[in-house]
Amino acid sequence: MEEIKKTVAITEAMLLAGLRVSRAGLTEAQIAGQVQAVAISGGGNLSFPTILTTHGEILHNHYRNHILSAGKMVLLDCGAETALHYAGDLTRIFPVDATFSPLQKDVYNIVLNALQTSATALLPGKLFKDVHLLAAEKLTEGLIALGLMKGDATEAVAAGAHTLFFQCGFCHMMGLDVHDMENLGEQYVGYTPEMKKSSAFGLKSLRLGKALEKGFVVTVEPGLYFIPELMDIWAAEKKLTQFINYNQLASFRNFGGIRIEDNYLITPTGNELLNTILPKKVAEIEAIRNEALR
Ligand code: GLY
Ligand code: MN
Ligand code: MN
């Protein structure tokens, strides 16, 4: 845990560097280079190739040749590893400008609410699949309030309607690898002989579904991803029209994606947030961006 706390602290410094050096006119690669330098200066290296992109809707996007421009957001998902190879993995998203647009802020707060609500459910004995579904429900409630979805949030999640916007899982183990023991196979790491990994769209990408135990180190990373190609396919198929307002999606075609990711230790009675200084409220993110652009 000492090593993990050390690497999470370096990872926080990487994100703060990204928040401070980003500005319109620079390429994503120019910022990623400065972010990665922090990991190397910390005495170790990267726990995975840095995701630094103005196209957050593309998961694990390693293309970095876009130029930052006003109105866009930068999604930064990165991690350091210590010399002993323990990994960190945090995500923040921030505006290229000093402030988010009103719509960006609304969507950001939906994701933040999903993270904060699901974090309170990180307890020993709790099935992680249920925490994932709780996050999905909170995201869905937010999208209903925003007018993109409709109907009952629990029913929409049961039908998988949220996966138009939240296609992936939202958690994984973290330790000596960023997706710890990934090469053993997710069935063995994240599930049990009695609990098979689902093959349903959305749940098939959930790396961790089994009950939490004290001593587990996990990441939680809810997000909303507006993928034009996927929206077009679902709209053409008239998929789950009882839950999705397809006529409201036009203004989201160039929106991108939003993810927020934190790292937790499961304790005997609950959890401990391992990233202790990196802010995530809109006002705090905007304050750093204001300072950076002054
Ligand atoms: N950076 C990879 C992940 O968040 O799982
Ligand atoms: Mn992660
Ligand atoms: Mn990540």
Side-chain angles (χ1 to χ4, degrees), residues 15 63 69 76 111 164 239 292:
L15 280 138
Y63 179 86
S69 59
L76 174 52
V111 177
L164 177 55
K239 198 163 166 180

Side-chain angles (χ1 to χ4, degrees), residues 48 51 60 77 89 172 179 221 261:
F48 59 94
I51 298 163
H60 288 185
D77 180 352
D89 178 13
H172 54 86
H179 302 150
E221 45 183 311
E261 178 174 26

Side-chain angles (χ1 to χ4, degrees), residues 128-146:
F128 217 143
K129 184 177 173 187
D130 289 344
V131 188
H132 167 88
L133 292 172
L134 173 65
E137 198 164 310
K138 291 294 147 194
L139 293 171
T140 302
E141 285 171 8
L143 292 173
I144 291 170
L146 203 59

Side-chain angles (χ1 to χ4, degrees), residues 183-232:
N183 291 347
L184 187 61
E186 285 171 5
Q187 175 60 41
Y188 297 107
V189 177
Y191 293 82
T192 64
E194 295 73 39
M195 185 186 191
K196 299 288 176 219
K197 191 161 173 251
S198 169
S199 58
F201 185 60
L203 283 175
K204 72 177 179 187
S205 310
L206 182 62
R207 298 176 198 271
L208 180 58
K210 70 184 180 186
L212 292 166
E213 294 176 29
K214 75 174 162 50
F216 279 13
V217 174
V218 296
T219 82
V220 173
E221 45 183 311
L224 287 171
Y225 307 96
F226 299 92
I227 305 168
E229 294 81 355
L230 189 63
M231 296 194 286
D232 287 345

Side-chain angles (χ1 to χ4, degrees), residues 160 171 223:
C171 53

Side-chain angles (χ1 to χ4, degrees), residues 3-4 6-8 10-11 14 38-48 78-89 175-178:
E3 281 295 299
I4 290 179
K6 202 194 298 179
T7 200
V8 170
I10 299 167
T11 302
M14 293 170 76
V38 176
I40 291 157
S41 310
N45 214 316
L46 303 175
S47 57
F48 59 94
C78 62
E81 66 171 31
T82 61
L84 291 182
H85 298 288
Y86 282 91
D89 178 13
L176 275 170
D177 195 356
V178 62

